[in-house]
Amino acid sequence: MLEGKKIILGVCGSIAAYKSATLVRLLVKAGAHVQVVMTPDATNFITPLTLSTLSKRPVYSEYFKPETGEWNNHVELGLWGDAMIIAPASANTMAKMASGLVDNLLTAVYLSAKCPVYFAPAMDLDMWKHEATQKNIVDLQGFGNVLIPPGSGELASGLHGEGRMAEPEEIVDFLSDDIKKKLPLYNQKILVTAGPTYEAIDPVRFIGNHSSGKMGFALADELASLGADVTLIAGPTAQVSKYQSIKRINITSAADMLQQCLEHFPAVNACVMCAAVADYTPATVSAQKIKKHDGGLNIELKKTTDILKTLGQQKREGQVLVGFALETNNEEQYAIEKLQKKNLDLIVLNSLNDAGAGFKNDTNKVTLIDRDLHKTTFELKNKTEVAHDICIKLIELLKK
């Protein structure tokens, strides 16, 4: 959920500021871009150099750069972020945030921020329990800020109780979960198939196709970025998912894919069948490598089970099933026939007659046709953009 996100990390004057180094490292490891803004007091607890080195960005703590007099633009900083986390959030800074007091760069950035703001308090037990602190927390939440609750344990004073800043790992998990909950496909389980299948002739040779898996992997990544819990069944391909949250199941043959689809389909809200599954497979597979002889070689083929049609027959009310049609002639006619015969909710049509479409390319040109025969045709686009277009339609179908 944090991949590519721009995170403003505010660090206040608190002994818990030492945890900010780990927090920056974890955010960067998760793929986020981190901009640290410190209060002047925070620099007494951890050096800007440490946080700058870990974030790979300059750290700001003053309105002006002393050596040049250049202004650190709090408005630009506030607009830059996709999210702002203030951790540790001291009682002093929370009081300033609650009252709108702006006497340092961090509080100025906070008042300028247009993104969601999270705050992770850190203070001693008596300060945490004080009525003024509790009122400030209520006020901050009333402004729409999100509290990351402190933990309980041994405090710097030697007391034991509430007030410990949440651990960096807990903050990252909290932020990821909260972002995910706000996404349009949160709590949606979606099955995606991608890539080719290889149908064995003997231990060495197989029948396959030219599918690279790029379109299916782009779809899985886009669905994950929109909050879905994605299971990806992938044929032999060199493609790699962007998101560790995607559950990948590697298969080889059409029979393998059928087995995995039947196992996972009942539990999902939607299924996007993007894989190029073989229509035929050898009737018998030689246990030994077939030796080359003079003359030709005849291989008897048998039909594979139509996975898409099988899932269409098993589809329950409310499930959304999406298929793909790669055609070379009478494209729209064949796509509509496939849509109706296999009980699909949406079919994605692409034609090998369109330059830049089809297998192996980084681009695709598609037409979306739903079960009401509403048709949307798109121009040639990068497969990542095509995946986004398909997902927007899928969200629409899931809401019906």
Side-chain angles (χ1 to χ4, degrees):
M1 288 299 100
L2 298 179
E3 179 75 34
K5 293 288 190 297
K6 293 177 285 188
I7 308 295
I8 304 167
L9 175 60
V11 181
C12 304
S14 164
I15 186 60
Y18 79 91
K19 296 182 180 180
S20 300
T22 301
L23 180 54
V24 171
R25 183 181 63 82
L26 291 174
L27 289 169
V28 170
K29 186 178 180 180
H33 307 290
V34 182
Q35 176 59 66
V36 178
V37 181
M38 305 177 73
T39 65
D41 282 345
T43 63
N44 295 319
F45 292 89
I46 186 169
T47 67
L49 177 61
T50 298
L51 299 180
S52 176
T53 302
L54 292 171
S55 66
K56 301 178 176 61
R57 299 179 67 92
V59 169
Y60 302 116
S61 60
E62 302 289 348
Y63 280 109
F64 297 93
K65 298 176 183 177
E67 63 277 9
T68 64
E70 186 181 352
W71 178 35
N72 291 322
N73 192 327
H74 62 277
V75 176
E76 287 185 358
L77 285 168
L79 294 175
W80 176 82
D82 295 313
M84 182 175 188
I85 312 170
I86 301 175
S90 65
N92 182 50
T93 294
M94 288 195 301
K96 293 176 183 180
M97 292 164 61
S99 62
L101 180 61
V102 182
D103 67 348
N104 61 47
L105 181 62
L106 176 55
T107 51
V109 173
Y110 161 70
L111 286 183
S112 300
K114 301 299 181 186
C115 59
V117 177
Y118 302 80
F119 63 106
M123 63 200 71
D124 212 74
L125 178 62
D126 293 334
M127 297 175 70
W128 169 254
K129 286 187 171 182
H130 197 281
E131 291 84 349
T133 300
Q134 293 302 311
K135 179 182 182 300
N136 289 335
I137 290 171
V138 171
D139 288 345
L140 288 173
Q141 290 177 298
F143 298 154
N145 302 307
V146 181
L147 169 67
I148 302 177
S152 182
E154 186 177 353
L155 304 171
S157 65
L159 296 176
H160 193 282
E162 269 190 298
R164 288 171 58 101
M165 186 182 91
E167 295 302 320
E169 293 83 1
E170 295 171 334
I171 293 173
V172 171
D173 288 344
F174 186 101
L175 180 61
S176 296
D177 290 344
D178 196 66
I179 290 173
K180 189 172 184 177
K181 287 175 185 177
K182 296 171 183 175
L183 294 173
L185 289 175
Y186 174 67
N187 258 351
Q188 297 287 334
K189 295 181 179 180
I190 301 181
L191 179 65
V192 180
T193 65
T197 64
Y198 288 175
E199 309 302 318
I201 297 171
D202 61 22
V204 177
R205 304 176 183 89
F206 62 85
I207 298 171
N209 58 56
H210 295 295
S211 174
S212 64
K214 289 180 179 179
M215 190 70 252
F217 275 72
L219 275 162
D221 286 339
E222 182 67 16
L223 289 165
S225 76
L226 292 169
D229 294 325
V230 180
T231 299
L232 174 63
I233 303 174
T237 174
Q239 301 302 309
V240 177
S241 300
K242 284 171 58 178
Y243 297 98
Q244 293 182 358
S245 63
I246 295 173
K247 179 184 177 182
R248 178 172 175 174
I249 300 169
N250 293 319
I251 58 91
T252 301
S253 68
D256 296 337
M257 184 164 286
L258 172 65
Q259 178 185 347
Q260 292 298 328
C261 285
L262 291 175
E263 180 178 335
H264 291 90
F265 183 68
V268 300
N269 303 99
C271 177
V272 183
M273 296 289 292
C274 190
V277 183
D279 293 322
Y280 294 91
T281 189
T284 58
V285 179
S286 173
Q288 304 295 327
K289 179 183 175 182
I290 299 172
K291 296 299 182 181
K292 181 168 63 175
H293 301 285
D294 292 338
L297 173 66
N298 293 320
I299 300 174
E300 182 184 353
L301 301 177
K302 63 180 180 180
K303 284 196 71 172
T304 58
T305 301
D306 189 325
I307 301 176
L308 191 56
K309 183 178 180 180
T310 302
L311 298 184
Q313 292 168 343
Q314 296 185 5
K315 187 179 66 166
R316 68 177 186 276
E317 185 176 353
Q319 266 187 319
V320 175
L321 182 58
V322 180
F324 277 67
L326 177 61
E327 304 293 348
T328 57
N329 62 294
N330 298 326
E331 292 94 333
E332 191 171 316
Q333 175 190 335
Y334 289 145
I336 292 173
E337 288 177 2
K338 186 174 184 179
L339 171 77
Q340 295 172 333
K341 287 180 179 179
K342 300 189 181 183
N343 192 26
L344 309 182
D345 299 282
L346 180 70
I347 194 154
V348 182
L349 167 64
N350 50 174
S351 171
L352 284 179
N353 293 318
D354 292 324
F359 293 146
K360 294 187 177 179
N361 295 310
D362 292 325
T363 56
N364 206 353
K365 184 177 186 297
V366 302
T367 296
L368 306 184
I369 306 173
D370 65 22
R371 65 185 308 117
D372 298 321
L373 301 187
H374 295 146
K375 183 176 71 171
T376 308
T377 300
F378 297 92
E379 297 301 316
L380 185 71
K381 295 184 179 184
N382 183 280
K383 284 184 175 175
T384 301
E385 296 173 309
V386 174
H388 180 74
D389 293 333
I390 295 169
C391 289
I392 294 301
K393 182 65 177 180
L394 180 59
I395 291 169
E396 176 190 319
L397 294 173
L398 284 166
K399 288 179 178 179
K400 287 187 175 181

